[in-house]
PDB file of all heavy atoms in Angstrom:
ATOM      1  N   VAL A 164      54.401  54.143   5.806  1.00 93.00           N
ATOM      2  CA  VAL A 164      55.748  54.485   5.385  1.00 93.00           C
ATOM      3  C   VAL A 164      56.313  53.380   4.496  1.00 93.00           C
ATOM      4  O   VAL A 164      56.205  52.191   4.814  1.00 93.00           O
ATOM      5  CB  VAL A 164      56.674  54.702   6.598  1.00 93.00           C
ATOM      6  CG1 VAL A 164      58.118  54.934   6.146  1.00 93.00           C
ATOM      7  CG2 VAL A 164      56.186  55.882   7.433  1.00 93.00           C
ATOM      8  N   ILE A 165      56.910  53.795   3.397  1.00 95.00           N
ATOM      9  CA  ILE A 165      57.614  52.890   2.497  1.00 95.00           C
ATOM     10  C   ILE A 165      59.078  53.296   2.542  1.00 95.00           C
ATOM     11  O   ILE A 165      59.410  54.463   2.297  1.00 95.00           O
ATOM     12  CB  ILE A 165      57.073  52.996   1.045  1.00 95.00           C
ATOM     13  CG1 ILE A 165      55.623  52.529   0.977  1.00 95.00           C
ATOM     14  CG2 ILE A 165      57.932  52.210   0.080  1.00 95.00           C
ATOM     15  CD1 ILE A 165      54.603  53.560   1.412  1.00 95.00           C
ATOM     16  N   THR A 166      59.956  52.380   2.875  1.00 95.00           N
ATOM     17  CA  THR A 166      61.363  52.735   3.017  1.00 95.00           C
ATOM     18  C   THR A 166      62.176  52.252   1.820  1.00 95.00           C
ATOM     19  O   THR A 166      61.967  51.150   1.322  1.00 95.00           O
ATOM     20  CB  THR A 166      61.970  52.152   4.303  1.00 95.00           C
ATOM     21  OG1 THR A 166      61.870  50.716   4.283  1.00 95.00           O
ATOM     22  CG2 THR A 166      61.264  52.696   5.535  1.00 95.00           C
ATOM     23  N   GLY A 167      63.083  53.097   1.385  1.00 95.00           N
ATOM     24  CA  GLY A 167      64.103  52.705   0.434  1.00 95.00           C
ATOM     25  C   GLY A 167      65.264  52.172   1.243  1.00 95.00           C
ATOM     26  O   GLY A 167      66.022  52.946   1.820  1.00 95.00           O
ATOM     27  N   GLU A 168      65.390  50.862   1.307  1.00 94.00           N
ATOM     28  CA  GLU A 168      66.233  50.041   2.184  1.00 94.00           C
ATOM     29  C   GLU A 168      65.471  49.734   3.472  1.00 94.00           C
ATOM     30  O   GLU A 168      64.758  50.608   4.004  1.00 94.00           O
ATOM     31  CB  GLU A 168      67.577  50.694   2.504  1.00 94.00           C
ATOM     32  CG  GLU A 168      68.468  50.930   1.292  1.00 94.00           C
ATOM     33  CD  GLU A 168      68.833  49.658   0.528  1.00 94.00           C
ATOM     34  OE1 GLU A 168      68.599  48.536   1.041  1.00 94.00           O
ATOM     35  OE2 GLU A 168      69.335  49.771  -0.597  1.00 94.00           O
ATOM     36  N   PRO A 169      65.588  48.509   3.947  1.00 92.00           N
ATOM     37  CA  PRO A 169      64.903  48.113   5.190  1.00 92.00           C
ATOM     38  C   PRO A 169      65.388  48.942   6.372  1.00 92.00           C
ATOM     39  O   PRO A 169      66.468  49.543   6.333  1.00 92.00           O
ATOM     40  CB  PRO A 169      65.298  46.636   5.349  1.00 92.00           C
ATOM     41  CG  PRO A 169      65.678  46.190   3.971  1.00 92.00           C
ATOM     42  CD  PRO A 169      66.291  47.386   3.314  1.00 92.00           C
ATOM     43  N   VAL A 170      64.577  48.936   7.427  1.00 90.00           N
ATOM     44  CA  VAL A 170      64.977  49.669   8.636  1.00 90.00           C
ATOM     45  C   VAL A 170      65.967  48.831   9.435  1.00 90.00           C
ATOM     46  O   VAL A 170      65.845  47.608   9.494  1.00 90.00           O
ATOM     47  CB  VAL A 170      63.757  50.025   9.511  1.00 90.00           C
ATOM     48  CG1 VAL A 170      62.818  50.944   8.769  1.00 90.00           C
ATOM     49  CG2 VAL A 170      63.015  48.775   9.967  1.00 90.00           C
ATOM     50  N   PRO A 171      66.963  49.449  10.068  1.00 84.00           N
ATOM     51  CA  PRO A 171      67.867  48.706  10.943  1.00 84.00           C
ATOM     52  C   PRO A 171      67.116  48.189  12.171  1.00 84.00           C
ATOM     53  O   PRO A 171      66.039  48.691  12.517  1.00 84.00           O
ATOM     54  CB  PRO A 171      68.915  49.759  11.355  1.00 84.00           C
ATOM     55  CG  PRO A 171      68.780  50.858  10.362  1.00 84.00           C
ATOM     56  CD  PRO A 171      67.346  50.856   9.930  1.00 84.00           C
ATOM     57  N   SER A 172      67.662  47.195  12.805  1.00 83.00           N
ATOM     58  CA  SER A 172      67.060  46.628  14.007  1.00 83.00           C
ATOM     59  C   SER A 172      66.867  47.714  15.063  1.00 83.00           C
ATOM     60  O   SER A 172      67.757  48.541  15.287  1.00 83.00           O
ATOM     61  CB  SER A 172      67.951  45.515  14.571  1.00 83.00           C
ATOM     62  OG  SER A 172      67.413  44.988  15.753  1.00 83.00           O
ATOM     63  N   GLY A 173      65.689  47.705  15.689  1.00 80.00           N
ATOM     64  CA  GLY A 173      65.399  48.697  16.717  1.00 80.00           C
ATOM     65  C   GLY A 173      64.421  49.758  16.272  1.00 80.00           C
ATOM     66  O   GLY A 173      63.984  50.574  17.085  1.00 80.00           O
ATOM     67  N   LEU A 174      64.059  49.764  14.974  1.00 84.00           N
ATOM     68  CA  LEU A 174      63.094  50.731  14.454  1.00 84.00           C
ATOM     69  C   LEU A 174      61.781  50.027  14.121  1.00 84.00           C
ATOM     70  O   LEU A 174      61.766  48.834  13.792  1.00 84.00           O
ATOM     71  CB  LEU A 174      63.646  51.405  13.190  1.00 84.00           C
ATOM     72  CG  LEU A 174      64.825  52.363  13.372  1.00 84.00           C
ATOM     73  CD1 LEU A 174      65.333  52.823  12.011  1.00 84.00           C
ATOM     74  CD2 LEU A 174      64.423  53.561  14.217  1.00 84.00           C
ATOM     75  N   PRO A 175      60.648  50.753  14.186  1.00 87.00           N
ATOM     76  CA  PRO A 175      59.367  50.152  13.787  1.00 87.00           C
ATOM     77  C   PRO A 175      59.401  49.717  12.325  1.00 87.00           C
ATOM     78  O   PRO A 175      60.069  50.330  11.494  1.00 87.00           O
ATOM     79  CB  PRO A 175      58.366  51.285  14.008  1.00 87.00           C
ATOM     80  CG  PRO A 175      59.025  52.214  14.971  1.00 87.00           C
ATOM     81  CD  PRO A 175      60.488  52.131  14.689  1.00 87.00           C
ATOM     82  N   GLU A 176      58.681  48.649  11.995  1.00 88.00           N
ATOM     83  CA  GLU A 176      58.650  48.138  10.629  1.00 88.00           C
ATOM     84  C   GLU A 176      57.788  49.032   9.737  1.00 88.00           C
ATOM     85  O   GLU A 176      56.717  49.483  10.151  1.00 88.00           O
ATOM     86  CB  GLU A 176      58.101  46.715  10.601  1.00 88.00           C
ATOM     87  CG  GLU A 176      59.068  45.668  11.111  1.00 88.00           C
ATOM     88  CD  GLU A 176      60.282  45.508  10.208  1.00 88.00           C
ATOM     89  OE1 GLU A 176      60.138  45.637   8.976  1.00 88.00           O
ATOM     90  OE2 GLU A 176      61.379  45.286  10.752  1.00 88.00           O
ATOM     91  N   PRO A 177      58.220  49.277   8.501  1.00 91.00           N
ATOM     92  CA  PRO A 177      57.396  50.040   7.553  1.00 91.00           C
ATOM     93  C   PRO A 177      56.351  49.138   6.910  1.00 91.00           C
ATOM     94  O   PRO A 177      56.377  47.915   7.076  1.00 91.00           O
ATOM     95  CB  PRO A 177      58.429  50.499   6.520  1.00 91.00           C
ATOM     96  CG  PRO A 177      59.433  49.373   6.500  1.00 91.00           C
ATOM     97  CD  PRO A 177      59.520  48.897   7.934  1.00 91.00           C
ATOM     98  N   ARG A 178      55.433  49.732   6.138  1.00 90.00           N
ATOM     99  CA  ARG A 178      54.443  48.945   5.414  1.00 90.00           C
ATOM    100  C   ARG A 178      55.066  48.244   4.204  1.00 90.00           C
ATOM    101  O   ARG A 178      54.566  47.214   3.750  1.00 90.00           O
ATOM    102  CB  ARG A 178      53.293  49.843   4.959  1.00 90.00           C
ATOM    103  CG  ARG A 178      52.348  50.232   6.068  1.00 90.00           C
ATOM    104  CD  ARG A 178      51.519  49.057   6.568  1.00 90.00           C
ATOM    105  NE  ARG A 178      50.781  48.398   5.505  1.00 90.00           N
ATOM    106  CZ  ARG A 178      49.602  48.807   5.050  1.00 90.00           C
ATOM    107  NH1 ARG A 178      49.022  49.868   5.582  1.00 90.00           N
ATOM    108  NH2 ARG A 178      48.992  48.158   4.074  1.00 90.00           N
ATOM    109  N   ALA A 179      56.127  48.817   3.673  1.00 91.00           N
ATOM    110  CA  ALA A 179      56.818  48.209   2.535  1.00 91.00           C
ATOM    111  C   ALA A 179      58.246  48.719   2.513  1.00 91.00           C
ATOM    112  O   ALA A 179      58.547  49.789   3.055  1.00 91.00           O
ATOM    113  CB  ALA A 179      56.110  48.542   1.227  1.00 91.00           C
ATOM    114  N   SER A 180      59.127  47.943   1.901  1.00 92.00           N
ATOM    115  CA  SER A 180      60.508  48.397   1.740  1.00 92.00           C
ATOM    116  C   SER A 180      61.053  47.890   0.413  1.00 92.00           C
ATOM    117  O   SER A 180      60.645  46.849  -0.094  1.00 92.00           O
ATOM    118  CB  SER A 180      61.398  47.911   2.894  1.00 92.00           C
ATOM    119  OG  SER A 180      61.494  46.495   2.900  1.00 92.00           O
ATOM    120  N   VAL A 181      61.966  48.667  -0.147  1.00 94.00           N
ATOM    121  CA  VAL A 181      62.658  48.314  -1.381  1.00 94.00           C
ATOM    122  C   VAL A 181      64.131  48.220  -1.048  1.00 94.00           C
ATOM    123  O   VAL A 181      64.669  49.062  -0.316  1.00 94.00           O
ATOM    124  CB  VAL A 181      62.412  49.373  -2.477  1.00 94.00           C
ATOM    125  CG1 VAL A 181      63.171  49.024  -3.752  1.00 94.00           C
ATOM    126  CG2 VAL A 181      60.924  49.512  -2.758  1.00 94.00           C
ATOM    127  N   THR A 182      64.801  47.202  -1.553  1.00 94.00           N
ATOM    128  CA  THR A 182      66.199  46.999  -1.204  1.00 94.00           C
ATOM    129  C   THR A 182      66.943  46.424  -2.397  1.00 94.00           C
ATOM    130  O   THR A 182      66.383  46.262  -3.488  1.00 94.00           O
ATOM    131  CB  THR A 182      66.334  46.076   0.027  1.00 94.00           C
ATOM    132  OG1 THR A 182      67.713  46.037   0.444  1.00 94.00           O
ATOM    133  CG2 THR A 182      65.872  44.656  -0.306  1.00 94.00           C
ATOM    134  N   SER A 183      68.212  46.128  -2.217  1.00 94.00           N
ATOM    135  CA  SER A 183      69.039  45.486  -3.234  1.00 94.00           C
ATOM    136  C   SER A 183      69.929  44.460  -2.555  1.00 94.00           C
ATOM    137  O   SER A 183      70.135  44.509  -1.342  1.00 94.00           O
ATOM    138  CB  SER A 183      69.900  46.521  -3.980  1.00 94.00           C
ATOM    139  OG  SER A 183      69.097  47.454  -4.671  1.00 94.00           O
ATOM    140  N   ALA A 184      70.465  43.535  -3.353  1.00 93.00           N
ATOM    141  CA  ALA A 184      71.340  42.492  -2.812  1.00 93.00           C
ATOM    142  C   ALA A 184      72.757  43.041  -2.681  1.00 93.00           C
ATOM    143  O   ALA A 184      73.636  42.777  -3.511  1.00 93.00           O
ATOM    144  CB  ALA A 184      71.308  41.257  -3.712  1.00 93.00           C
ATOM    145  N   HIS A 185      73.001  43.816  -1.618  1.00 96.00           N
ATOM    146  CA  HIS A 185      74.280  44.489  -1.458  1.00 96.00           C
ATOM    147  C   HIS A 185      75.417  43.527  -1.113  1.00 96.00           C
ATOM    148  O   HIS A 185      76.547  43.691  -1.589  1.00 96.00           O
ATOM    149  CB  HIS A 185      74.166  45.556  -0.374  1.00 96.00           C
ATOM    150  CG  HIS A 185      73.146  46.604  -0.666  1.00 96.00           C
ATOM    151  ND1 HIS A 185      73.272  47.494  -1.711  1.00 96.00           N
ATOM    152  CD2 HIS A 185      71.957  46.901  -0.068  1.00 96.00           C
ATOM    153  CE1 HIS A 185      72.228  48.288  -1.749  1.00 96.00           C
ATOM    154  NE2 HIS A 185      71.416  47.952  -0.765  1.00 96.00           N
ATOM    155  N   ASP A 186      75.128  42.539  -0.270  1.00 96.00           N
ATOM    156  CA  ASP A 186      76.180  41.611   0.163  1.00 96.00           C
ATOM    157  C   ASP A 186      76.847  40.905  -1.018  1.00 96.00           C
ATOM    158  O   ASP A 186      78.090  40.919  -1.139  1.00 96.00           O
ATOM    159  CB  ASP A 186      75.596  40.604   1.165  1.00 96.00           C
ATOM    160  CG  ASP A 186      76.648  39.665   1.735  1.00 96.00           C
ATOM    161  OD1 ASP A 186      77.102  38.754   1.004  1.00 96.00           O
ATOM    162  OD2 ASP A 186      77.025  39.832   2.917  1.00 96.00           O
ATOM    163  N   PRO A 187      76.089  40.289  -1.937  1.00 96.00           N
ATOM    164  CA  PRO A 187      76.745  39.637  -3.077  1.00 96.00           C
ATOM    165  C   PRO A 187      77.540  40.596  -3.953  1.00 96.00           C
ATOM    166  O   PRO A 187      78.582  40.223  -4.494  1.00 96.00           O
ATOM    167  CB  PRO A 187      75.565  39.027  -3.853  1.00 96.00           C
ATOM    168  CG  PRO A 187      74.465  38.904  -2.872  1.00 96.00           C
ATOM    169  CD  PRO A 187      74.632  40.054  -1.932  1.00 96.00           C
ATOM    170  N   ALA A 188      77.056  41.832  -4.099  1.00 97.00           N
ATOM    171  CA  ALA A 188      77.767  42.802  -4.935  1.00 97.00           C
ATOM    172  C   ALA A 188      79.108  43.179  -4.310  1.00 97.00           C
ATOM    173  O   ALA A 188      80.126  43.293  -5.012  1.00 97.00           O
ATOM    174  CB  ALA A 188      76.910  44.044  -5.141  1.00 97.00           C
ATOM    175  N   VAL A 189      79.124  43.387  -2.994  1.00 98.00           N
ATOM    176  CA  VAL A 189      80.384  43.706  -2.313  1.00 98.00           C
ATOM    177  C   VAL A 189      81.354  42.539  -2.449  1.00 98.00           C
ATOM    178  O   VAL A 189      82.556  42.727  -2.706  1.00 98.00           O
ATOM    179  CB  VAL A 189      80.141  44.040  -0.828  1.00 98.00           C
ATOM    180  CG1 VAL A 189      81.466  44.189  -0.081  1.00 98.00           C
ATOM    181  CG2 VAL A 189      79.316  45.323  -0.700  1.00 98.00           C
ATOM    182  N   ARG A 190      80.848  41.332  -2.306  1.00 98.00           N
ATOM    183  CA  ARG A 190      81.709  40.147  -2.433  1.00 98.00           C
ATOM    184  C   ARG A 190      82.252  40.008  -3.850  1.00 98.00           C
ATOM    185  O   ARG A 190      83.409  39.624  -4.044  1.00 98.00           O
ATOM    186  CB  ARG A 190      80.934  38.895  -2.022  1.00 98.00           C
ATOM    187  CG  ARG A 190      80.641  38.842  -0.520  1.00 98.00           C
ATOM    188  CD  ARG A 190      79.767  37.652  -0.158  1.00 98.00           C
ATOM    189  NE  ARG A 190      79.572  37.605   1.286  1.00 98.00           N
ATOM    190  CZ  ARG A 190      80.412  37.025   2.138  1.00 98.00           C
ATOM    191  NH1 ARG A 190      81.506  36.434   1.677  1.00 98.00           N
ATOM    192  NH2 ARG A 190      80.171  37.030   3.429  1.00 98.00           N
ATOM    193  N   GLU A 191      81.413  40.303  -4.840  1.00 98.00           N
ATOM    194  CA  GLU A 191      81.886  40.264  -6.227  1.00 98.00           C
ATOM    195  C   GLU A 191      83.009  41.270  -6.440  1.00 98.00           C
ATOM    196  O   GLU A 191      84.021  40.970  -7.101  1.00 98.00           O
ATOM    197  CB  GLU A 191      80.730  40.550  -7.178  1.00 98.00           C
ATOM    198  CG  GLU A 191      81.133  40.505  -8.649  1.00 98.00           C
ATOM    199  CD  GLU A 191      79.992  40.868  -9.587  1.00 98.00           C
ATOM    200  OE1 GLU A 191      78.851  41.051  -9.099  1.00 98.00           O
ATOM    201  OE2 GLU A 191      80.244  40.969 -10.804  1.00 98.00           O
ATOM    202  N   LEU A 192      82.851  42.462  -5.884  1.00 98.00           N
ATOM    203  CA  LEU A 192      83.890  43.482  -5.995  1.00 98.00           C
ATOM    204  C   LEU A 192      85.175  43.020  -5.312  1.00 98.00           C
ATOM    205  O   LEU A 192      86.277  43.143  -5.871  1.00 98.00           O
ATOM    206  CB  LEU A 192      83.399  44.787  -5.376  1.00 98.00           C
ATOM    207  CG  LEU A 192      84.435  45.906  -5.234  1.00 98.00           C
ATOM    208  CD1 LEU A 192      84.973  46.317  -6.592  1.00 98.00           C
ATOM    209  CD2 LEU A 192      83.839  47.104  -4.503  1.00 98.00           C
ATOM    210  N   MET A 193      85.054  42.484  -4.105  1.00 98.00           N
ATOM    211  CA  MET A 193      86.241  42.056  -3.364  1.00 98.00           C
ATOM    212  C   MET A 193      86.935  40.875  -4.051  1.00 98.00           C
ATOM    213  O   MET A 193      88.172  40.792  -4.069  1.00 98.00           O
ATOM    214  CB  MET A 193      85.865  41.703  -1.928  1.00 98.00           C
ATOM    215  CG  MET A 193      85.334  42.883  -1.104  1.00 98.00           C
ATOM    216  SD  MET A 193      86.410  44.343  -1.128  1.00 98.00           S
ATOM    217  CE  MET A 193      87.909  43.660  -0.388  1.00 98.00           C
ATOM    218  N   ASP A 194      86.156  39.952  -4.622  1.00 98.00           N
ATOM    219  CA  ASP A 194      86.757  38.843  -5.372  1.00 98.00           C
ATOM    220  C   ASP A 194      87.568  39.378  -6.555  1.00 98.00           C
ATOM    221  O   ASP A 194      88.656  38.864  -6.868  1.00 98.00           O
ATOM    222  CB  ASP A 194      85.666  37.895  -5.881  1.00 98.00           C
ATOM    223  CG  ASP A 194      85.056  37.042  -4.774  1.00 98.00           C
ATOM    224  OD1 ASP A 194      85.670  36.926  -3.692  1.00 98.00           O
ATOM    225  OD2 ASP A 194      83.951  36.489  -4.996  1.00 98.00           O
ATOM    226  N   HIS A 195      87.033  40.386  -7.204  1.00 98.00           N
ATOM    227  CA  HIS A 195      87.743  41.016  -8.328  1.00 98.00           C
ATOM    228  C   HIS A 195      89.061  41.624  -7.856  1.00 98.00           C
ATOM    229  O   HIS A 195      90.108  41.445  -8.510  1.00 98.00           O
ATOM    230  CB  HIS A 195      86.848  42.085  -8.950  1.00 98.00           C
ATOM    231  CG  HIS A 195      87.557  43.066  -9.819  1.00 98.00           C
ATOM    232  ND1 HIS A 195      88.079  42.748 -11.050  1.00 98.00           N
ATOM    233  CD2 HIS A 195      87.840  44.396  -9.618  1.00 98.00           C
ATOM    234  CE1 HIS A 195      88.649  43.822 -11.584  1.00 98.00           C
ATOM    235  NE2 HIS A 195      88.519  44.833 -10.742  1.00 98.00           N
ATOM    236  N   LEU A 196      89.030  42.330  -6.733  1.00 97.00           N
ATOM    237  CA  LEU A 196      90.258  42.935  -6.211  1.00 97.00           C
ATOM    238  C   LEU A 196      91.277  41.861  -5.850  1.00 97.00           C
ATOM    239  O   LEU A 196      92.490  42.033  -6.088  1.00 97.00           O
ATOM    240  CB  LEU A 196      89.938  43.796  -4.980  1.00 97.00           C
ATOM    241  CG  LEU A 196      89.042  45.021  -5.213  1.00 97.00           C
ATOM    242  CD1 LEU A 196      88.787  45.753  -3.904  1.00 97.00           C
ATOM    243  CD2 LEU A 196      89.651  45.961  -6.242  1.00 97.00           C
ATOM    244  N   LEU A 197      90.803  40.747  -5.300  1.00 97.00           N
ATOM    245  CA  LEU A 197      91.704  39.648  -4.949  1.00 97.00           C
ATOM    246  C   LEU A 197      92.356  39.074  -6.203  1.00 97.00           C
ATOM    247  O   LEU A 197      93.566  38.778  -6.211  1.00 97.00           O
ATOM    248  CB  LEU A 197      90.930  38.566  -4.201  1.00 97.00           C
ATOM    249  CG  LEU A 197      91.757  37.423  -3.598  1.00 97.00           C
ATOM    250  CD1 LEU A 197      92.662  37.945  -2.492  1.00 97.00           C
ATOM    251  CD2 LEU A 197      90.837  36.327  -3.066  1.00 97.00           C
ATOM    252  N   GLU A 198      91.581  38.909  -7.260  1.00 97.00           N
ATOM    253  CA  GLU A 198      92.123  38.421  -8.527  1.00 97.00           C
ATOM    254  C   GLU A 198      93.168  39.372  -9.100  1.00 97.00           C
ATOM    255  O   GLU A 198      94.084  38.945  -9.810  1.00 97.00           O
ATOM    256  CB  GLU A 198      90.995  38.221  -9.536  1.00 97.00           C
ATOM    257  CG  GLU A 198      90.055  37.082  -9.192  1.00 97.00           C
ATOM    258  CD  GLU A 198      88.844  37.033 -10.105  1.00 97.00           C
ATOM    259  OE1 GLU A 198      88.761  37.903 -11.013  1.00 97.00           O
ATOM    260  OE2 GLU A 198      87.988  36.148  -9.926  1.00 97.00           O
ATOM    261  N   ARG A 199      93.029  40.642  -8.771  1.00 96.00           N
ATOM    262  CA  ARG A 199      94.000  41.642  -9.234  1.00 96.00           C
ATOM    263  C   ARG A 199      95.240  41.695  -8.337  1.00 96.00           C
ATOM    264  O   ARG A 199      96.143  42.492  -8.572  1.00 96.00           O
ATOM    265  CB  ARG A 199      93.334  43.016  -9.276  1.00 96.00           C
ATOM    266  CG  ARG A 199      92.245  43.148 -10.335  1.00 96.00           C
ATOM    267  CD  ARG A 199      92.830  43.265 -11.735  1.00 96.00           C
ATOM    268  NE  ARG A 199      93.601  44.506 -11.851  1.00 96.00           N
ATOM    269  CZ  ARG A 199      94.712  44.657 -12.563  1.00 96.00           C
ATOM    270  NH1 ARG A 199      95.203  43.636 -13.232  1.00 96.00           N
ATOM    271  NH2 ARG A 199      95.339  45.815 -12.599  1.00 96.00           N
ATOM    272  N   GLY A 200      95.272  40.858  -7.301  1.00 95.00           N
ATOM    273  CA  GLY A 200      96.486  40.726  -6.507  1.00 95.00           C
ATOM    274  C   GLY A 200      96.511  41.451  -5.179  1.00 95.00           C
ATOM    275  O   GLY A 200      97.531  41.440  -4.488  1.00 95.00           O
ATOM    276  N   ILE A 201      95.414  42.076  -4.758  1.00 95.00           N
ATOM    277  CA  ILE A 201      95.442  42.811  -3.485  1.00 95.00           C
ATOM    278  C   ILE A 201      95.461  41.830  -2.304  1.00 95.00           C
ATOM    279  O   ILE A 201      94.909  40.730  -2.377  1.00 95.00           O
ATOM    280  CB  ILE A 201      94.260  43.798  -3.362  1.00 95.00           C
ATOM    281  CG1 ILE A 201      92.915  43.043  -3.272  1.00 95.00           C
ATOM    282  CG2 ILE A 201      94.250  44.759  -4.525  1.00 95.00           C
ATOM    283  CD1 ILE A 201      92.385  42.888  -1.880  1.00 95.00           C
ATOM    284  N   ARG A 202      96.105  42.257  -1.231  1.00 95.00           N
ATOM    285  CA  ARG A 202      96.168  41.451  -0.012  1.00 95.00           C
ATOM    286  C   ARG A 202      95.915  42.282   1.239  1.00 95.00           C
ATOM    287  O   ARG A 202      95.747  41.736   2.322  1.00 95.00           O
ATOM    288  CB  ARG A 202      97.534  40.769   0.102  1.00 95.00           C
ATOM    289  CG  ARG A 202      97.815  39.709  -0.957  1.00 95.00           C
ATOM    290  CD  ARG A 202      96.829  38.557  -0.883  1.00 95.00           C
ATOM    291  NE  ARG A 202      97.094  37.523  -1.891  1.00 95.00           N
ATOM    292  CZ  ARG A 202      96.588  37.524  -3.104  1.00 95.00           C
ATOM    293  NH1 ARG A 202      95.770  38.515  -3.485  1.00 95.00           N
ATOM    294  NH2 ARG A 202      96.856  36.566  -3.966  1.00 95.00           N
ATOM    295  N   HIS A 203      95.887  43.600   1.084  1.00 95.00           N
ATOM    296  CA  HIS A 203      95.717  44.477   2.248  1.00 95.00           C
ATOM    297  C   HIS A 203      94.695  45.578   1.941  1.00 95.00           C
ATOM    298  O   HIS A 203      95.046  46.754   1.823  1.00 95.00           O
ATOM    299  CB  HIS A 203      97.065  45.091   2.648  1.00 95.00           C
ATOM    300  CG  HIS A 203      98.135  44.080   2.875  1.00 95.00           C
ATOM    301  ND1 HIS A 203      98.189  43.277   3.984  1.00 95.00           N
ATOM    302  CD2 HIS A 203      99.199  43.720   2.089  1.00 95.00           C
ATOM    303  CE1 HIS A 203      99.227  42.480   3.918  1.00 95.00           C
ATOM    304  NE2 HIS A 203      99.856  42.713   2.773  1.00 95.00           N
ATOM    305  N   PRO A 204      93.426  45.207   1.824  1.00 97.00           N
ATOM    306  CA  PRO A 204      92.394  46.193   1.490  1.00 97.00           C
ATOM    307  C   PRO A 204      91.928  46.974   2.723  1.00 97.00           C
ATOM    308  O   PRO A 204      92.054  46.507   3.861  1.00 97.00           O
ATOM    309  CB  PRO A 204      91.255  45.331   0.955  1.00 97.00           C
ATOM    310  CG  PRO A 204      91.382  44.050   1.733  1.00 97.00           C
ATOM    311  CD  PRO A 204      92.863  43.842   1.925  1.00 97.00           C
ATOM    312  N   ALA A 205      91.401  48.149   2.468  1.00 97.00           N
ATOM    313  CA  ALA A 205      90.817  48.965   3.533  1.00 97.00           C
ATOM    314  C   ALA A 205      89.505  49.554   3.036  1.00 97.00           C
ATOM    315  O   ALA A 205      89.298  49.733   1.831  1.00 97.00           O
ATOM    316  CB  ALA A 205      91.774  50.082   3.938  1.00 97.00           C
ATOM    317  N   MET A 206      88.627  49.849   3.990  1.00 97.00           N
ATOM    318  CA  MET A 206      87.359  50.509   3.669  1.00 97.00           C
ATOM    319  C   MET A 206      87.320  51.857   4.352  1.00 97.00           C
ATOM    320  O   MET A 206      87.636  51.973   5.535  1.00 97.00           O
ATOM    321  CB  MET A 206      86.165  49.657   4.120  1.00 97.00           C
ATOM    322  CG  MET A 206      84.815  50.368   3.991  1.00 97.00           C
ATOM    323  SD  MET A 206      83.384  49.352   4.446  1.00 97.00           S
ATOM    324  CE  MET A 206      83.162  48.418   2.930  1.00 97.00           C
TER     325      MET A 206
END
């Protein structure tokens, strides 16, 4: 099995996985929103 995104904890490991650096991208987005003056964001 090759997974698009790693498996969450608790699942058997695949033979290969493809992923992206999601954490830095979310932080870049949030930094941008902060620069635009937001103080009360929601997801």
